[in-house]
């Protein structure tokens, strides 16, 4: 098997995802579906905490190899990516067992995550590059608590996993890639000096390439991130189809299915027609990757939770349980809160827009969650549709700036 993945034919200026990358993203479909199922029924605080933890772990594993393929391009090692793909499939398959408290499946998930991170670290070491915008992709500090968790039981195991994710975020926002490069260079010099004294391997090491910084291809990365969000929105459709196949088809189900479809379409429009990389009101290069990537992760997490809530709503066509109502509404509120954060870097965003769009879109879902106990399921979802459509309606009614008249002869 060829160890370098062939790319879909494209010009250098119009690079798209390779067949290997698209195959790799199929694991994201399975993973998002499994993790979203944690929020079925009437999820409690423990279910929500486990959902957040496993989604962050799965997304972290996915982004490590998404960034590797982005930088490596046609030199991506197919065997390495396929091995990571297998590990992510193991993680996805172990999710139900983790939820059920099975020690064996929890250890399998942790071991798969550890091996994925080791593979990512090895891939970057082979390239002799440090990813400037996401150094956690090739650093093992956050993996240490996962290794310790192999000998732990719940709930200590979950706290160790959370510590590992927190350390990755700490590395992302505080560690300078320049410091990492200098540290690796100093380490290599020390090894070369030692080898020169010990054996003849120094000749081979003296030809080793020095460490260098690497930055992602912004357009290609945007496509991959957008594909992930499409997968998450597609999970919402899949949740509704699965729930509808087991329900009695009546007027309430028709109303809920229509409302859910309009809600997902409105979210798609905000994320892609009014956004970038699947994040609403984010513009190209308005944020550095180390800030935009966590934003993408949290937006995707909110959408996946919303998808799970839509699936649960089909099981309660009369009135939503309180936990499900809060899940739906708080997921949408979180989505719009992140939208406001993304929009802050746009030069034309003013305080009036934040007060007129972001604030009501965050507050109204929470009001529905808190005071909507007497509302029917279909009514709740249609109200969320109205909230989601408000930004588009506001933008359509907003006066456009008048273009200055061209001067004669210009």
């Amino acid at each position: 098997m060829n160890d370098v993945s062939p790319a879909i034919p494209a010009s250098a200026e119009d690079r798209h995802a390779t067949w290997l990358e698209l195959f790799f993203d199929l694991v994201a479909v399975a993973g998002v579906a499994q993790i979203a199922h944690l929020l079925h029924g009437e999820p409690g605080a423990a279910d929500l905490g486990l959902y957040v933890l496993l989604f962050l772990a799965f997304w972290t594993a996915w982004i490590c190899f998404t960034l590797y393929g982005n930088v490596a391009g046609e030199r991506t090692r197919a065997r390495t990516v396929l091995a990571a793909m297998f590990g992510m499939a193991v993680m996805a398959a172990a999710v139900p067992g983790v939820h059920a408290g099975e020690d064996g499946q929890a250890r399998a998930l942790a071991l798969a995550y550890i091996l994925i991170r080791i593979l990512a670290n090895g891939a970057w070491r082979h390239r002799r590059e440090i990813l400037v915008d996401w150094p956690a992709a090739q650093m093992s500090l956050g993996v240490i608590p996962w290794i310790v968790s192999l000998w732990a039981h719940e709930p200590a195991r979950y706290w160790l996993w959370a510590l590992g994710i927190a350390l990755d975020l700490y590395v992302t926002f505080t560690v300078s890639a320049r410091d990492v490069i200098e540290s690796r260079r100093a380490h290599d010099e020390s090894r070369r000096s030692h080898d020169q004294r010990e054996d003849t391997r120094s000749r081979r090491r003296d030809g080793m390439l020095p460490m260098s910084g690497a930055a992602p291809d912004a357009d290609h990365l945007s496509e991959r991130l957008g594909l992930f969000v499409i997968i998450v929105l597609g999970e919402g459709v899949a949740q509704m189809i699965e729930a509808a196949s087991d329900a009695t088809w009546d007027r309430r189900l028709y109303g809920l299915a229509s409302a859910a479809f309009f809600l997902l379409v409105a979210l798609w429009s905000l994320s892609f027609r009014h956004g970038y990389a699947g994040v609403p009101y984010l513009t190209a290069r308005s944020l550095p990757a180390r800030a935009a990537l966590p934003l993408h992760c949290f937006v995707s997490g909110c959408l996946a939770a919303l998808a799970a809530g839509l699936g649960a709503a089909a099981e309660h066509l009369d009135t939503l349980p309180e936990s499900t109502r809060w899940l739906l509404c708080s997921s949408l509120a979180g989505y719009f809160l992140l939208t406001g954060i993304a929009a802050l870097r746009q030069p034309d965003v003013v305080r009036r827009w934040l007060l007129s769009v972001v604030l009501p879109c965050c507050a109204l879902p929470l009001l529905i969650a808190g005071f909507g106990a007497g509302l029917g399921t279909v009514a709740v979802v249609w109200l969320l549709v109205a909230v989601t459509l408000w930004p588009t309606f506001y933008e359509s009614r907003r006066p456009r700036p008048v273009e200055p008249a061209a001067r004669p002869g210009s």
Side-chain angles (χ1 to χ4, degrees):
M1 181 174 62
N2 186 5
D3 199 36
V4 177
S5 63
I8 299 174
S11 65
E13 295 79 13
D14 190 25
R15 181 185 170 194
H16 295 290
T18 66
W19 295 120
L20 176 63
E21 289 171 327
L22 295 174
F23 189 31
F24 181 76
D25 286 345
L26 287 177
V27 185
V29 178
V32 169
Q34 290 286 73
I35 296 170
H37 274 78
L38 296 176
L39 300 178
H40 274 201
E42 299 181 23
D47 298 318
L48 183 60
L50 185 60
Y51 164 81
V52 172
L53 179 59
L54 293 183
F55 188 90
L56 286 171
F58 191 85
W59 185 91
T60 299
W62 176 82
I63 198 63
C64 284
F65 279 88
T66 295
L67 289 168
Y68 166 63
N70 175 273
V71 173
E74 294 185 0
R75 295 188 178 275
T76 300
R77 291 177 171 266
R79 292 176 185 174
T80 303
V81 175
L82 291 173
M85 182 177 173
F86 179 79
M88 290 181 63
V90 172
M91 289 179 64
V95 168
V98 174
H99 190 214
E102 297 287 343
D103 281 347
Q105 295 190 34
R107 289 192 180 96
L109 186 145
L111 184 59
Y113 179 81
I114 292 166
L115 293 177
I116 289 170
R117 296 298 301 275
I118 291 173
L119 278 172
N121 185 284
W124 287 104
R125 281 183 177 273
H126 175 80
R127 291 188 58 80
R128 307 294 300 163
E129 290 179 322
I130 297 292
L131 190 61
V132 174
D133 292 313
W134 195 261
Q138 58 210 98
M139 298 184 68
S140 55
L141 179 64
V143 181
I144 296 174
W146 287 80
I147 297 174
V148 176
S149 75
L150 294 174
W151 292 273
H153 301 279
E154 60 174 310
R157 173 192 298 127
Y158 303 142
W159 287 110
L160 287 167
W161 292 357
L163 175 61
I165 297 296
L167 288 174
D168 280 333
L169 292 175
Y170 172 79
V171 166
T172 296
F173 289 110
T174 62
V175 173
S176 167
R178 180 179 298 176
D179 293 340
V180 177
I181 293 173
E182 293 301 325
S183 175
R184 292 281 179 90
R185 285 176 177 170
H187 178 68
D188 290 342
E189 289 294 333
S190 175
R191 291 178 63 184
R192 276 197 289 267
S193 298
H194 178 269
D195 289 340
Q196 286 173 352
R197 292 191 301 266
E198 295 294 333
D199 55 38
T200 59
R201 289 180 298 172
S202 60
R203 295 178 183 176
R204 188 167 61 250
R205 295 195 183 276
D206 283 337
M208 184 181 296
L209 293 173
M211 298 296 296
S212 62
D217 181 322
D219 292 336
H220 176 261
L221 182 60
S222 170
E223 181 183 34
R224 296 295 304 283
L225 297 177
L227 286 172
F228 191 91
V229 174
I230 285 291
I231 287 170
V232 173
L233 290 174
E235 177 58 24
V237 177
Q239 293 274 354
M240 283 302 305
I241 291 174
E242 181 180 357
S245 64
D246 296 327
T248 301
W249 287 29
D250 54 18
R251 293 175 60 185
R252 295 173 303 172
L253 182 62
Y254 297 150
L256 176 62
S258 300
F261 180 76
F262 275 103
L263 179 60
L264 293 171
V265 169
L267 290 169
W268 165 81
S269 178
L270 284 176
S271 294
F272 292 95
R273 300 179 69 181
H274 302 278
Y276 178 78
V279 179
Y281 296 100
L282 180 68
T283 55
R285 299 174 180 84
S286 61
L287 288 175
R290 68 172 60 200
L293 288 176
L295 198 61
H296 172 272
C297 175
F298 300 146
V299 165
S300 301
C302 288
L303 289 176
L306 183 70
L310 290 176
E315 301 172 2
H316 304 279
L317 291 174
D318 291 324
T319 305
L320 287 173
E322 183 179 5
S323 59
T324 304
R325 189 175 68 252
W326 272 102
L327 175 64
L328 273 171
C329 297
S330 59
S331 298
L332 190 63
Y335 173 86
F336 279 110
L337 176 62
L338 296 165
T339 295
I341 295 173
L344 285 175
R345 293 299 297 268
Q346 290 194 33
D348 58 340
V349 170
V350 294
R351 185 179 302 176
R352 181 182 300 177
W353 187 90
L354 295 175
L355 294 176
S356 301
V357 175
V358 176
L359 180 60
C361 288
C362 291
L364 288 176
L366 297 179
L367 291 174
I368 295 170
F371 301 99
L375 294 173
T377 298
V378 177
V380 168
V381 179
W382 274 114
L383 285 173
L384 297 183
V385 172
V387 171
T388 309
L389 290 175
W390 169 244
T392 303
F393 177 78
Y394 177 84
E395 288 291 336
S396 68
R397 303 286 295 178
R398 185 180 175 186
R400 300 295 179 185
V402 178
E403 296 290 339
R407 294 181 179 179
S410 62

